[in-house]
Amino acid sequence: MNKPTKLRQESRVASDELIAALRDHAEILPPPEKYDEFGEFFDRFADAQVVLLGEATHGTSEFYNARAAITRRLIEKHGFTVVAVEADWPDAARIDGYVRHHAPRPRSGESFVRFPTWMWRNQEVLAFADWLRHYNEDKKDFAQASFHGLDVYSLSESIAAVLEYLDAVDPDEAARARWRYGCLTPWQDHPTEYGKAVIHGQQHPCEDAAVEQIHQLFFKRLKYIENDGEKWFDAAQNAKIVAAVERYYRAIYQGGPESWNLRDRHMFETLQAIIAHRGVGTKAVVWAHNSHIGDASATAMGWRGEFNIGQLARIAYGDDAVCIGFGTDNGTVAAASDWGADMQIKTVRPARPDSYEHAFRLTGYARSLTDWRGREKQKFAHMLREPLLERAIGVVYRPDTELASHYFEAILADQFDAYVWFETTKAVTPLGREKPHGAPETYPFGL
């Protein structure tokens, strides 16, 4: 989920001048639970077409609540109609159906059960989904705010979604799709093994068949969208995911930056497809880790050849894309010790003295927004171009090896346009697997 890289050998700390400037330019924020008061501070970013909201961990309650407050404001007051998140497309489609009052889409299993389940299956996301459902209740389709996943990991569910769609609209094409996907279906529950088998010459690549299925869905698009354009779009996106997954799991065994770049390119292209599908003038909010939404070219990731959504958004949208980073110093976080391990509530160590987080802590503010855009702030922005370390906690947190596992070098002023700071934070509240008593059938996390 994040990609810390090799660090410089020398130690560097923020100057007293920089800390004083951070203190002077910070705007004190109310708690994010005060949605209207908190969200109002972010009206300044509403002229953008794409607002990208980060997080320094994948398991911090304040980050989710802050993004919810900002997004609520942008939707209610400024016409944003897309929320796109670092989650699997079929899982997010379950929430989308819930918030837009649609019938549940067919799926082969329960939503948000792939590790890390707590990343989206938590109380904070449910509260936002409930608000969005209420907001959309009296809106026409074009005015409703939709919820979408950008990620690339849903091979099995995406194959099933394409086949379900074609079974309903074109049974002959569904039979051909089953033949095309026959190369991948034996591996759909263990795609990493597919990548390994291809690299070792034990399996022919399935790329051509996966790409051909995308071509066929677009070739017959005019016929299909006569019945339901929304369902066609969903099937087309799932077909793109199948092709992207096939490439991704081959790339991870080839080393280098290609697997990361393939994933972030797919997420950005999915964002663009959603915006195009929703129509001219569509404005979107993106929720993803700092390592995805902060411009990678200003970090050690970019210096070793990796790019990300934030960098691609700046290239495509220029000043119409705004990247807002989030940070914290201490508290607790929901994370695992290893990939696939059980979630734990872990204590976050105070930030290192040679990090941006430590500099923000020395301001003495519990919550703040720091914005360095504009000519009048050029001197301040220049001060933020001194490289320091930055912490990235993903779904795995290893405090004992924190420097090597979770810190990377960055230039904050070029990575983000603004920064939201919480000195002390707490872990998200994961939802249990059971559907709450009395919840409607469209409840987004249940069957």
Side-chain angles (χ1 to χ4, degrees), residues 149-205:
L150 300 175
D151 225 330
V152 74
Y153 294 112
S154 58
L155 178 60
S156 178
E157 280 294 338
S158 289
I159 288 175
V162 173
L163 297 178
E164 287 269 5
Y165 172 74
L166 291 173
D167 280 337
V169 302
D170 191 343
D172 290 340
E173 180 58 28
R176 288 187 285 271
R178 281 184 169 84
W179 178 82
R180 294 184 189 105
Y181 286 153
C183 180
L184 278 170
T185 48
W187 309 92
Q188 62 185 348
D189 295 325
H190 305 284
T192 54
E193 296 300 315
Y194 164 78
K196 185 188 300 185
V198 172
I199 294 301
H200 291 161
Q202 299 165 348
Q203 166 72 38
H204 290 296

Side-chain angles (χ1 to χ4, degrees), residues 274-293:
I274 295 165
I275 291 172
H277 177 69
R278 289 303 307 267
V280 176
T282 295
K283 300 168 77 174
V285 185
V286 177
W287 295 11
H289 197 280
N290 284 348
S291 56
H292 292 293
I293 69 96

Side-chain angles (χ1 to χ4, degrees), residues 186-331:
W187 309 92
Q188 62 185 348
D189 295 325
H190 305 284
T192 54
E193 296 300 315
Y194 164 78
K196 185 188 300 185
V198 172
I199 294 301
H200 291 161
Q202 299 165 348
Q203 166 72 38
H204 290 296
C206 303
E207 180 178 16
D208 290 347
V211 171
E212 177 60 23
Q213 188 54 59
I214 299 173
H215 290 165
Q216 288 302 315
L217 280 165
F218 276 84
F219 181 71
K220 298 183 178 182
R221 175 177 55 184
L222 294 180
K223 172 186 174 183
Y224 291 158
I225 64 176
E226 285 181 355
N227 297 320
D228 192 321
E230 196 73 27
K231 289 182 179 179
W232 172 85
F233 180 68
D234 181 69
Q237 290 307 122
N238 276 298
K240 290 179 183 179
I241 290 167
V242 175
V245 171
E246 189 279 332
R247 293 192 299 273
Y248 176 80
Y249 281 103
R250 284 190 287 118
I252 61 175
Y253 286 100
Q254 296 171 339
E258 183 55 28
S259 61
W260 175 273
N261 290 348
L262 190 153
R263 181 179 172 219
D264 271 58
R265 185 188 300 112
H266 170 83
M267 289 199 284
F268 178 68
E269 289 175 352
T270 300
L271 172 64
Q272 288 188 300
I274 295 165
I275 291 172
H277 177 69
R278 289 303 307 267
V280 176
T282 295
K283 300 168 77 174
V285 185
V286 177
W287 295 11
H289 197 280
N290 284 348
S291 56
H292 292 293
I293 69 96
D295 190 329
S297 67
T299 73
M301 290 170 50
W303 304 335
R304 70 178 186 187
E306 295 176 333
F307 56 76
N308 64 3
I309 304 171
Q311 183 176 350
L312 295 174
R314 280 182 166 175
I315 292 170
Y317 297 101
D319 291 340
D320 280 333
V322 172
C323 303
I324 304 175
F326 285 64
T328 187
D329 176 66
N330 64 79

